[in-house]
Amino acid sequence: MYNSHDLARIAIGCLINGVFWTILYWAFFAVFHHFDIHRKYGIFKIREPEVHYRTALKNWKIPFLWGIGTSAVMALYGLKLNSPLGNTLGRQPELVFSLPPEYIFLHSPNLFTDILYGIVGFYLVDFTDYWAHRIGHRYPFMYKKFPFAHFVHHNWTFLNPLVVVSSPTLHPAVITGSAVYVFLLSQGLLLPVLFLHLVKIFSNYMSHLGCDPFPGLTRLNHRVGGWIPWIPLHHQYHHLHFTRQGNYGNLSCLWDYVFGTLIPESVYHIERGEPAPSVIARLGKPEEQLEADMGKFLQGKTGLSLR
Ligand SMILES: [Zn+2]
Ligand SMILES: [Zn+2]
């Protein structure tokens, strides 16, 4: 399947991907902190504690491994990348292996059916992602054990889009999502996969924006059952360590609405346009107290020396 030249190219691609995403991760944390984005535009209008920022910078190994891991997973699934950054820049992947014609039963004759397959594929990936994420929270093996460990992604309460890459190498959601990709690609549905991948990337990074520049769109999404891929407020609540667990959707919140796993405080915020008093009580403390609380939480979670 792969010759030695391919394997060398994949290994170099994985390393470059790791370095690239680590640098971007540092840059986003620095920009958000330096320009005080969380206090000015954030969902809670609260300054990011220093200890949160410093700890995030020290956790560079996680995005580095994420960069290596995502490239490696694509290669393991037989997705040949056109560049080291191919899978994350939305380039069209090509399949290393191809199925014999008798196993191809899906056909897309025109652009309309391409878009239709793309939409169905998107909510299918959203569905597998939802359950993989939910199960990943439920079982300690999935939550705490490397390389599945989802808890490292939950170190961060103050979000920016690059928190996406602060995630373990083999998060179950990556595996299940890739399986849907491989299935659609094996049917020759390249354009639908490209379409769903672009929307997925957009939604995934926007869900970690830490701000909600379009609250009207968030309210509309709440009224129509959560299928619109715009969930920065929903996902911000998923990252709070003191609310009930829920809001597992990573691409849309459709399946949270279907299976009843919305966090009540996020619903309160969407409907009233402001955080619930219980959330303000935890986050709206004097700065030194929030620093101390956050430091205690992060020290316990990361085991890093935070001085
Ligand atoms: Zn989670
Ligand atoms: Zn997240």
Side-chain angles (χ1 to χ4, degrees), residues 133-134 136-137 143 150-151 153-154 171 208 235 238-239 245-248 250:
H133 186 195
R134 189 171 166 180
H137 271 272
Y143 195 68
H150 183 53
F151 82 96
H153 182 66
H154 281 276
H171 188 284
H208 293 84
H235 198 69
H238 176 70
H239 274 263
Q245 287 202 346
N247 292 9
Y248 298 111
N250 281 322

Side-chain angles (χ1 to χ4, degrees), residues 208-229:
H208 293 84
L209 195 56
C211 319
D212 188 4
F214 305 116
L217 186 56
T218 304
R219 276 196 298 279
L220 175 67
N221 200 15
H222 180 54
R223 282 201 291 273
V224 298
W227 57 267
I228 301 172

